[in-house]
């Protein structure tokens, strides 16, 4: 049975989630740790290794049972080298991550972009299982995307395909974190929501329940607090979020006219917290802006894997790459 299991890791800006999957892609164990990217690549890598070992122990396995390790990183991965040089979310620039991770883990390491991994997992074993071509949107601090075409993850030139959060949906629109104007991420992400709250509540003095849950810069607001205010029919929360969800549907309609996938999956921290609530707004934005197709032609679905999507996708990626 040696060498049949795979470790998948979600290396996020704040936390590491390591999982162990069986040969038939069942999640056997999980372990979490803080990323602490300020410790540098070696320090963070040792934390990933520790988290993996905890998960292996819980699954009754050890490193000798592991064939390879898939690591989902918050950056583009060069498909030619399989490496990521720049990870601004972790504060690491010009550092060959894969090479160093491989030296520390002493295992075959495969890197892929985190949202691509999440999309791949939903495609193989999650909400989009059974389709050929899909698009994934993940709404969290930012807005990430992933594309699978004819059964294959589409990564594009220098691994930069699927950056769906930076599709411009409004000329000269809101300023995005990337420096451009009018990206969908500037309308539908936690960062975008917080900026709007700050503008409406702090600067314009509007009243909102949100002020009871956070200080007035809103940056650290939890999705659960957003949900409470949304459910309490707080006007500001509903206005900002519903507009964001509608525009996400519009952005998805744009993807439909480019890729015409059979299924579009919505996941990420905000969607996990809100479950079905955003769907009517996403569907309206989608159907009102769809070209040539009818809304029934493309299935819009919620993520089925939740927090596991990214590390499971990393494990699937490693397993499939390792078998080539
Ligand atoms: Zn942008």
């Amino acid at each position: 049975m040696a060498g049949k299991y795979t470790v998948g890791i979600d290396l996020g800006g704040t936390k590491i989630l390591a999982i162990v999957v069986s040969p038939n892609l069942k999640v056997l164990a999980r372990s979490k740790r803080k990323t602490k990217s300020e410790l540098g690549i070696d320090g963070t890598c040792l934390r990933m290794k520790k988290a993996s070992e905890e998960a292996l122990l819980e699954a009754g396995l050890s490193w000798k049972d592991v064939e390879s390790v898939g690591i989902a990183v918050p950056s583009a991965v060069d498909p030619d080298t399989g490496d990521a040089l720049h990870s601004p979310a972790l504060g690491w620039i010009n550092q060959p991550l894969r090479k160093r991770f491989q030296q520390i883990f002493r295992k075959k390491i495969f890197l892929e972009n985190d949202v691509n991994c999440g999309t791949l997992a939903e495609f193989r074993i999650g909400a989009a299982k059974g389709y050929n071509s899909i698009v994934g949107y993940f709404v969290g601090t930012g807005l990430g995307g992933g594309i699978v075409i004819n059964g294959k993850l589409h990564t594009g030139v220098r691994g930069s395909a699927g950056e769906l959060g930076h599709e411009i949906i409004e000329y000269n629109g809101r300023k995005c974190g990337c420096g451009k104007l009018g990206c969908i991420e500037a309308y539908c992400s936690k960062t975008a929501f917080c900026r709007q709250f700050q503008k409406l509540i702090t600067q314009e003095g509007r009243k909102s329940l949100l002020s009871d849950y956070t200080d007035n810069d809103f940056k650290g607001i939890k999705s659960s607090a957003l949900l409470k205010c949304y459910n309490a029919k707080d006007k500001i929360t509903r206005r900002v979020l519903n507009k964001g969800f509608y525009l996400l549907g519009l952005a998805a309609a744009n993807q439909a006219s480019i890729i015409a996938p059979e299924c579009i999956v919505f996941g990420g921290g905000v969607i996990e917290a809100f479950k079905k609530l955003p769907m009517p707004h996403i569907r309206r934005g989608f159907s009102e802006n769809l070209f040539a197709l009818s809304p029934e032609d493309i299935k819009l679905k919620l993520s089925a894997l939740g927090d596991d999507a990214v590390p499971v996708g990393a494990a699937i990626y490693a397993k499939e790459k390792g078998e080539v």
Side-chain angles (χ1 to χ4, degrees):
M1 77 179 224
K4 285 187 176 174
Y5 296 82
T6 314
V7 168
I9 299 172
D10 177 6
L11 171 57
T14 52
K15 72 172 196 325
I16 290 163
L17 174 58
I19 52 131
V20 180
V21 299
S22 69
N24 60 355
L25 304 177
K26 286 265 171 299
V27 177
L28 302 176
R30 301 172 179 79
S31 175
K32 259 187 200 175
R33 228 154 243 255
K34 290 216 167 95
T35 303
K36 299 201 173 167
S37 60
E38 68 276 10
L39 297 174
I41 293 179
D42 288 15
T44 296
C45 188
L46 287 169
R47 298 180 72 76
M48 288 197 289
K49 203 176 171 196
K50 275 261 166 64
S52 308
E53 280 160 6
E54 269 171 21
L56 283 168
L57 193 68
E58 199 191 313
L61 300 166
S62 69
W63 281 119
K64 68 175 177 5
D65 304 306
V66 176
E67 179 75 36
S68 59
V69 180
I71 303 179
V73 290
S75 70
V77 173
D78 189 321
D80 295 329
T81 62
D83 214 333
L85 277 182
H86 306 294
S87 253
L90 296 164
W92 302 338
I93 303 296
N94 232 343
Q95 315 239 29
L97 300 188
R98 186 188 183 196
K99 207 169 136 196
R100 193 65 195 127
F101 291 167
Q102 215 144 240
Q103 285 165 345
I104 293 176
F105 271 87
R106 288 198 227 116
K107 282 280 163 190
K108 251 192 246 166
I109 300 278
F110 296 93
L111 300 186
E112 185 46 271
N113 168 266
D114 49 7
V115 186
N116 282 352
C117 287
T119 305
L120 181 65
E122 293 293 346
F123 172 69
R124 286 275 185 253
I125 61 166
K129 191 181 169 187
Y131 297 107
N132 267 319
S133 298
I134 72 152
V135 165
Y137 279 101
F138 290 78
V139 189
T141 308
L143 174 63
I147 300 168
V148 170
I149 297 179
N150 294 330
K152 274 189 136 180
L153 202 55
H154 178 67
T155 51
V157 174
R158 286 170 49 206
S160 58
E163 290 290 349
L164 304 181
H166 301 284
E167 177 198 348
I168 293 171
I169 54 144
E170 188 178 356
Y171 175 64
N172 265 344
R174 288 187 200 160
K175 181 147 190 166
C176 179
C178 74
K180 293 192 300 176
L181 299 177
C183 298
I184 176 64
E185 184 175 285
Y187 297 82
C188 192
S189 65
K190 227 151 103 177
T191 308
F193 299 152
C194 294
R195 280 205 190 128
Q196 284 307 105
F197 296 149
Q198 204 173 13
K199 179 170 170 269
L200 295 167
I201 301 166
T202 316
Q203 292 168 18
E204 294 179 14
R206 312 273 185 109
K207 291 271 169 284
S208 165
L209 266 182
L210 284 160
S211 306
D212 297 347
Y213 288 93
T214 173
D215 54 15
N216 271 357
D217 82 349
F218 305 103
K219 265 187 192 141
I221 195 161
K222 295 212 158 103
S223 295
S224 56
L226 277 181
L227 180 64
K228 271 188 193 150
C229 296
Y230 191 92
N231 280 338
K233 297 197 166 75
D234 177 67
K235 271 193 187 150
I236 298 279
T237 311
R238 289 227 165 177
R239 188 172 124 190
V240 170
L241 269 66
N242 288 347
K243 179 174 181 179
F245 296 143
Y246 177 89
L247 290 171
L248 180 59
L250 176 150
N254 288 344
Q255 290 311 312
S257 69
I258 300 168
I259 296 162
E262 297 151 283
C263 177
I264 301 179
V265 180
F266 299 89
V270 172
I271 302 287
E272 281 313 307
F274 278 69
K275 303 269 188 291
K276 286 182 179 162
L277 289 172
M279 288 317 279
H281 306 281
I282 293 175
R283 281 187 201 286
R284 197 163 63 80
F286 184 70
S287 52
E288 285 181 8
N289 296 284
L290 194 60
F291 173 74
L293 296 165
S294 94
E296 298 79 50
D297 290 332
I298 297 176
K299 299 276 173 278
L300 305 187
K301 292 191 161 194
L302 287 176
S303 149
L305 300 170
D307 280 352
D308 280 352
V310 172
V312 167
I316 293 173
Y317 183 80
K319 199 165 141 44
E320 292 179 355
K321 274 271 165 177
E323 283 164 2
V324 171

